Amino acid sequence: MDDGSHNDWYVDDRCTNCDVARQLAPGLIEQVGGRSEVVRQPRDADELARMHAAAFACHTRSIRQPEQPLDTAADPYPMALDENVLFCGHNSPHTAAANSYLLRRPDGTQMMVDTPRWSAALADRYEASGQVTDVLLTHRDHAAHGRRYADRFGARLWIHEGDLAAARDADQVLRGIEPTEIAQGVIAYPLPGHTEGSVLFVADERYCFSGDSLYWSRTKGALAVAEHVTWYSIRELAASLTRTAPQLRFAWVLPGHGDRKHLAPEEMAEQLRALTARTRQLRPTPVDFASHQW
């Protein structure tokens, strides 16, 4: 497919360097000069599918071909990550391009974690996988569209009291710092730090939906915190991890920003211990997006 034709894929100048495309199309799209660039054209059907996955997730719709609209038949979303988690794609400019997910429950229903861009057509696509009973907001930065999706699904909207200003009409408000079982097998762990009301949602001791509290860093090859983009307190985040990490057991980290990772639970626990120790050494710094490394 790499024939140098006028249909070659490229990234336009609206790119915000959010990293989503690089997560979905590694080797095809990479960071160059502080933004994403297509470094190689797709060579087979699998690589073309990865390019489409990146294009339909991009919040600025910057991944494209000249004078050619995206082929809606190639939209892969919602896209299965495993048998119980679907990646929503269609990231929203109103959540700084945050990833969002659908969590399948044993009774056939689903929970939406954070929100993709809003459209009724997308809501229909997500609901086709199963009734959505709850929309779980990990923190204030990802609250856009939460009410619209919850109302469309007839679902309950959840947020922590620390970030309630972002969703004052939430149906369920988490309070304090103690874990709360919000549904069978699904536990909310308040984790103030990135924001005052940040929450981890852990399902079935397997999946950790971490919002912006922690993520897998390809640069470091380890779990990481966004130390240069902490709105509330890096010291509070260190305290939260110290308190909470020993209680956590999961195999998948599924963040809003940054990469996903699947490890054996014992390996993930060791990653959490090391992350907690590193975070305790961090000191407050001004927010600086340019210093952040994915």
Side-chain angles (χ1 to χ4, degrees):
M1 293 183 186
D2 189 2
D3 60 2
S5 75
H6 66 282
N7 286 325
D8 279 0
W9 291 87
Y10 72 102
V11 179
D12 71 23
D13 59 8
R14 295 173 296 170
C15 174
T16 64
N17 198 33
C18 74
D19 191 57
V20 171
R22 302 191 294 265
Q23 297 166 21
L24 294 162
L28 301 175
I29 300 175
E30 300 293 347
Q31 187 172 13
V32 179
R35 64 190 299 275
S36 287
E37 292 279 4
V38 175
V39 296
R40 180 169 63 75
Q41 295 297 312
R43 295 172 178 162
D44 56 32
D46 177 69
E47 290 188 346
L48 183 59
R50 283 195 276 143
M51 190 67 84
H52 277 113
F56 280 102
C58 176
H59 71 296
T60 55
R61 291 293 192 255
S62 291
I63 303 164
R64 47 194 305 171
Q65 296 170 285
E67 301 178 9
Q68 185 170 325
L70 286 175
D71 178 6
T72 56
D75 180 350
Y77 297 111
M79 182 173 70
L81 298 180
D82 80 352
E83 66 273 17
N84 295 314
V85 175
L86 303 170
F87 184 62
C88 291
H90 295 279
N91 298 29
S92 171
H94 300 291
T95 62
N99 296 321
S100 58
Y101 306 91
L102 291 169
L103 169 68
R104 287 174 168 156
R105 306 311 300 140
D107 64 359
T109 62
Q110 303 181 105
M111 293 177 162
M112 176 176 276
V113 184
D114 290 334
T115 58
R117 67 174 63 222
W118 163 257
S119 84
L122 282 174
D124 288 343
R125 293 184 71 148
Y126 301 135
E127 197 169 36
S129 303
Q131 179 190 358
V132 180
T133 60
D134 298 88
V135 176
L136 312 179
L137 300 177
T138 60
H139 65 297
R140 71 184 192 205
D141 306 349
H142 298 179
H145 320 301
R147 184 74 266 165
R148 295 193 77 175
Y149 271 110
D151 287 348
R152 169 62 179 77
F153 296 141
R156 298 172 295 181
L157 181 65
W158 295 76
I159 200 166
H160 190 276
E161 62 179 340
D163 284 357
L164 186 57
R168 293 188 182 279
D169 56 355
D171 305 294
Q172 298 289 331
V173 180
L174 297 160
R175 302 189 185 278
I177 59 173
E178 294 303 314
T180 300
E181 187 171 26
I182 64 172
Q184 186 172 1
V186 182
I187 300 175
Y189 291 90
L191 205 82
H194 175 72
T195 65
E196 187 176 1
S198 288
V199 178
L200 304 181
F201 292 100
V202 178
D204 308 323
E205 296 190 334
R206 181 168 175 80
Y207 309 103
C208 177
F209 300 95
S210 58
D212 292 349
S213 293
L214 54 96
Y215 67 101
W216 184 261
S217 168
R218 295 188 304 277
T219 302
K220 298 174 181 175
L223 285 182
V225 298
E227 59 190 273
H228 299 291
V229 190
T230 299
W231 301 110
Y232 181 51
S233 169
I234 196 69
R235 288 194 170 104
E236 282 296 320
L237 181 53
S240 295
L241 285 170
T242 299
R243 177 183 65 253
T244 306
Q247 306 176 59
L248 299 175
R249 180 178 174 82
F250 59 89
W252 274 96
V253 61
L254 299 158
H257 294 288
D259 221 341
R260 297 165 289 283
K261 189 67 172 180
H262 180 216
L263 295 172
E266 296 73 21
E267 293 180 74
M268 197 66 82
E270 182 54 41
Q271 286 283 337
L272 277 170
R273 284 191 288 270
L275 176 63
T276 301
R278 288 195 301 273
T279 307
R280 284 199 293 258
Q281 302 303 311
L282 298 175
R283 296 296 177 262
T285 60
V287 171
D288 181 3
F289 288 94
S291 296
H292 184 68
Q293 293 185 320
W294 298 107

